[in-house]
């Protein structure tokens, strides 16, 4: 009787080799050595890191837009000579830059940001950037050059270019009236007056105000001369005020009309403002227009501005 050999069983549950009849050796595997399917291997692979702030750009952009809308009226009021689109760009571009940086930082962050983090992170830097890039340079460009700050003043010389100062009782009375009005408004101010003539019938009536360096008006003239000039012209009854180039002396300059009663025609008035004070020139000149009056005022202003 032939001996029968029992198949060896390995520790892993693998049945030993046996012939399948074709001469091939078949190996049977138990459940303990089964390989995971390819799909399961793929699922078990490394996962992409999650992005907890995937909507950060939307939050940052929203607060940047709100900041730009709030700042836009200040930009328009501060630079009335600038176009609307330029004002929008002056506040919109800095706010957009802050929103872009905030979104980038939030996307790279591994922790989720709460919604209340975005207002201070976006609004405060955006406001600071607008002030530094738009409002501060606008004020600094009106400050006189080094060596010329705070030492300007206005005078009434006997001769100012082609204009000759007219003297007499009438001129003295007009000057005394102006001084009284100025002193009643602010005792720290000094009035300057001149009734100038050119040729036969051309008249230029000159009013000036000198300021002390520690007065509120002096600070406004350095920081915002166009506002101080506009308020002064409106307060004296001048209408249709239009800003014009200030020329080499910088600061601010504007021209308007002074309405006259009765048969007299409206008079053209041009005024200027800088760190030294405020001045106006009222013209009674045949055939003069606003452009010619502005050019004449720039020349006259250079003649009556003195330096200490």
């Amino acid at each position: 009787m032939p001996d029968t050999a029992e198949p060896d069983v390995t520790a892993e549950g693998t049945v030993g080799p046996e012939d399948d009849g074709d001469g091939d050796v078949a190996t049977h595997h138990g459940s303990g050595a089964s390989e995971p399917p390819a799909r399961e291997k793929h699922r078990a692979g490394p996962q992409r890191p999650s992005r907890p702030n995937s909507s950060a750009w939307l939050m940052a952009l929203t607060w940047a837009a709100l900041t730009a809308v709030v700042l836009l009226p200040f930009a328009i009021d501060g630079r009335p000579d600038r176009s609307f689109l330029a004002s929008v760009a002056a506040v919109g571009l800095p706010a957009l830059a802050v929103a872009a940086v905030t979104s980038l930082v939030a996307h790279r962050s591994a922790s989720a940001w709460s919604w209340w983090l975005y207002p201070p992170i976006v609004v405060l830097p955006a406001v600071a950037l607008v002030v530094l890039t738009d409002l501060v340079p606008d004020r600094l460009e009106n400050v006189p050059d080094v060596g010329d700050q705070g030492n300007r003043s206005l005078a009434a010389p006997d001769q100012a270019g082609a204009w000759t100062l007219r003297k007499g009782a009438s001129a003295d009375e007009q000057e005394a009236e102006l001084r009284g009005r100025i002193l009643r408004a602010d005792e720290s101010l000094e009035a300057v007056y001149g009734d100038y003539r050119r040729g036969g019938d051309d008249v230029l009536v000159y009013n000036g105000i000198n300021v002390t360096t520690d007065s509120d008006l002096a600070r406004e003239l350095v920081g915002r001369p166009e506002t101080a000039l506009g308020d002064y012209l409106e307060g004296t009854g001048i209408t249709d005020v239009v800003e014009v180039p200030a020329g080499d002396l910088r600061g601010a300059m504007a021209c308007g009309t002074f309405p006259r009663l009765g048969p007299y025609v409206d008079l053209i008035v041009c005024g200027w403002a800088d760190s030294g004070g405020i001045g106006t020139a009222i013209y009674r000149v045949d055939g003069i227009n606003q452009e010619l009056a502005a050019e004449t005022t720039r020349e006259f202003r250079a003649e009556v501005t003195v330096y200490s």
Side-chain angles (χ1 to χ4, degrees), residues 19-172:
D19 196 343
D20 60 1
D22 297 329
D24 296 328
V25 177
T27 304
H28 300 277
H29 299 278
S31 59
S34 61
E35 292 287 337
R39 183 176 301 177
E40 293 181 3
K41 286 184 178 180
H42 179 71
R43 289 179 180 176
Q47 299 293 324
R48 295 182 60 186
S50 61
R51 299 292 185 182
N53 303 306
S54 57
S55 61
W57 64 271
L58 181 59
M59 295 289 293
L61 191 61
T62 300
W63 284 104
L66 291 175
T67 303
V69 170
V70 172
L71 293 178
L72 183 58
F74 296 97
I76 295 175
D77 181 67
R79 294 284 296 275
D81 57 326
R82 183 169 55 187
S83 67
F84 177 76
L85 290 179
S87 296
V88 171
V91 298
L93 293 180
L96 187 61
V98 173
V101 173
T102 302
S103 299
L104 180 61
V105 174
H107 275 291
R108 292 180 176 272
S109 176
S111 59
W113 288 19
S114 301
W115 68 268
W116 48 264
L117 289 175
Y118 290 91
I121 292 177
V122 175
V123 174
L124 296 181
V127 171
L129 195 57
V130 170
V131 170
L132 292 175
T133 59
D134 186 62
L135 301 182
V136 170
D138 178 44
R139 284 159 173 74
L140 291 179
E141 70 181 9
N142 294 313
V143 177
D145 295 329
V146 175
D148 184 25
Q149 183 174 356
N151 63 347
R152 290 184 182 184
S153 61
L154 298 175
D158 292 341
Q159 195 71 31
W163 299 91
T164 302
L165 180 65
R166 178 174 172 265
K167 300 180 180 180
S170 177
D172 292 342

